Amino acid sequence: MMANSMDTVNSNQPTQNGSKLQPCHNESKTNLIVNYLPQTMTQEEIRSLFSSVGEVESCKLIRDKVTVFPDHILNGQSLGYAFVNYHKAEDAEKAVNTLNGLRLQNKIIKVSYARPSSDAIKGANLYVSGLPKHMTQQELEKLFCPYGSIISSRILHENVNVGHLMQAGLEDQGGLQGPSRGVAFIRYDQRCEAEAAIRELNGTVPPGGTGPMTVKCANNPSNQNKALAPLAAYLAPASARRFIGPAGKALLAINKGLQRYSPLADPLIQGNALGGSGWCIFVYNIGADTEESILWQLFGPFGAVQSVKIIRDPATNKCKGYGFVTMTNYDEAVVAIQSLNGYSLNGQVLQVSFKTNKSKS
DNA sequence: CGACGGGACGC
DNA sequence: CGACGGGACGC
């Protein structure tokens, strides 16, 4: 089956692009990249696994970095991949042969040679928006493959409201994703390939599309944008605390004595661009003079709120009676909805539910 | 008495 | 189905 076109180019291949000199000590034959690791697997567990094949020189699990404040950087979640460098090339080869495709928990890991690190492979990840909603991953790759070797591609999808399934832990069984958001990532082998794709494709109308798409460099995944969103969750009352992991506890420790902090007043939260990855809640029957801060006050106590939006009449700037709140975590969103639906605000009874797709897309 | 933006950066 | 790095050569 060709379902998995995710890894279009296998990075095991001897670098066809490199008649260039390799780094002095020939790391390209000993250094491996391991993808699709289970979320919970630690660096030590990975090292242990790969040590079963041969002596490991180094092992590095890549983790998200969470910036709490400019002077507090914490290791966050595993990004699901790691680098394992062996002392001996033969051990690396054996690891590829014996560990690639190994099933660990619910994942099939991929073990392949790491491309030599260089500036040429940095910045090769593209963010694409404005794609037709019906475009498939195959069509997407066909559109982008003329400009270089595609390492991976991914179309982002809407969340789909199937809470009972998610709670049963079945979300990994596949098939539950919602419609395309018209947004995708394309990773090329080389930065220059990505740059060529931007030059050639940005602003053009994709096949089957009705308007121009945007093709640009993707943001660096581990940067400060994420910083304050987790903070809102960790400072929230008990409802959210149950879900805190080790990183959250560290955050809590750091934030002791910061009672003063209020997400309501924080422009980085109010104006954030995190929207789209969380659970969007429709809030109806709010008064004409309702402001964003009211929604923050209402929803903040239930957990991590990513964004808040009051819909206004552009002419009068008066609220049209509804707004949207995006929360990060499904469980917290459910509790917020259950708690706030029917709540009386300034004499009006709120109707609160997950957002539906009634818009004129 | 009316009823689901706009822009989107992956867990 | 799934995001291809890495602060540090320093007392």
Side-chain angles (χ1 to χ4, degrees):
Chain A
M1 80 166 103
M2 89 140 302
N4 191 356
S5 56
M6 201 61 68
D7 292 311
T8 305
V9 170
N10 196 336
S11 44
N12 300 5
Q13 287 153 8
T15 55
Q16 66 267 45
N17 44 336
S19 46
K20 293 188 191 309
L21 298 179
Q22 302 295 339
C24 28
H25 47 291
N26 205 346
E27 212 176 56
S28 66
K29 290 192 167 57
T30 60
N31 196 28
L32 304 179
I33 181 168
V34 186
N35 286 289
Y36 314 134
L37 290 161
Q39 189 59 236
T40 57
M41 200 163 183
T42 66
Q43 181 167 291
E44 290 65 36
E45 290 166 339
I46 296 163
R47 174 183 275 273
S48 171
L49 169 64
F50 282 80
S51 294
S52 68
V53 171
E55 192 180 355
V56 170
E57 187 273 333
S58 64
C59 173
K60 178 71 178 179
L61 172 63
I62 307 305
R63 294 179 171 277
D64 199 359
K65 287 195 192 68
V66 181
T67 305
V68 183
F69 288 109
D71 55 343
H72 288 297
I73 298 179
L74 302 175
N75 279 333
Q77 286 192 315
S78 164
L79 290 180
Y81 64 96
F83 293 87
V84 176
N85 194 27
Y86 282 98
H87 285 285
K88 293 191 250 173
E90 61 199 81
D91 290 336
E93 182 181 3
K94 201 196 305 181
V96 171
N97 290 334
T98 63
L99 297 180
N100 183 40
L102 177 68
R103 175 169 175 154
L104 293 175
Q105 300 173 33
N106 56 338
K107 301 284 190 181
I108 306 289
I109 68 169
K110 177 188 175 191
V111 181
S112 57
Y113 288 102
R115 295 172 295 162
S117 178
S118 77
D119 289 342
I121 68 173
K122 290 178 53 186
N125 198 22
L126 294 182
Y127 175 82
V128 185
S129 61
L131 294 168
K133 300 287 203 282
H134 54 76
M135 178 176 274
T136 66
Q137 188 182 15
Q138 287 77 14
E139 292 166 340
L140 176 71
E141 294 203 351
K142 186 178 296 181
L143 181 59
F144 280 81
C145 75
Y147 309 102
S149 299
I150 298 173
I151 297 288
S152 62
S153 70
R154 179 152 149 79
I155 294 175
L156 271 48
H157 296 263
E158 306 282 356
N159 284 331
V160 56
N161 292 338
V162 283
H164 55 292
L165 289 176
M166 298 190 66
Q167 285 169 344
L170 299 177
E171 70 272 24
D172 277 349
Q173 304 300 312
L176 293 183
Q177 67 191 5
S180 165
R181 289 165 54 191
V183 168
F185 291 94
I186 304 276
R187 179 178 297 281
Y188 282 105
D189 181 54
Q190 304 282 316
R191 172 197 285 253
C192 61
E193 297 168 341
E195 290 168 345
I198 292 174
R199 282 197 305 273
E200 299 297 322
L201 294 178
N202 184 37
T204 65
V205 179
T210 57
M213 61 180 169
T214 298
V215 182
K216 56 193 220 182
C217 285
N219 289 341
N220 197 315
S222 46
N223 65 19
Q224 51 278 23
N225 290 358
K226 293 179 167 182
L228 294 173
L231 206 54
Y234 301 142
L235 293 173
S239 62
R241 297 256 160 99
R242 285 180 284 134
F243 304 101
I244 292 182
K249 286 179 181 152
L251 278 168
L252 267 183
I254 282 179
N255 288 310
K256 277 196 183 130
L258 286 186
Q259 250 69 333
R260 201 59 49 177
Y261 177 83
S262 165
L264 310 187
D266 194 316
L268 279 181
I269 286 186
Q270 280 213 348
N272 76 52
L274 287 171
S277 60
W279 298 90
C280 190
I281 297 168
F282 176 60
V283 187
Y284 182 70
N285 207 26
I286 52 182
D289 294 319
T290 305
E291 293 175 7
E292 268 78 3
S293 62
I294 300 294
L295 294 185
W296 282 108
Q297 289 174 36
L298 285 175
F299 286 83
F302 296 97
V305 175
Q306 293 183 355
S307 65
V308 146
K309 175 78 173 177
I310 299 283
I311 305 306
R312 295 184 165 88
D313 182 326
T316 66
N317 214 33
K318 289 293 185 185
C319 174
K320 292 167 78 169
Y322 62 94
F324 299 94
V325 174
T326 300
M327 297 186 68
T328 301
N329 302 306
Y330 177 83
D331 305 83
E332 294 168 357
V334 168
V335 174
I337 289 169
Q338 289 172 345
S339 304
L340 294 174
N341 186 41
Y343 180 81
S344 186
L345 175 68
N346 297 325
Q348 296 184 231
V349 178
L350 301 186
Q351 296 179 38
V352 183
S353 62
F354 281 115
K355 177 190 182 316
T356 62
N357 285 331
K358 289 185 183 167
S359 67
K360 43 277 166 179
S361 116

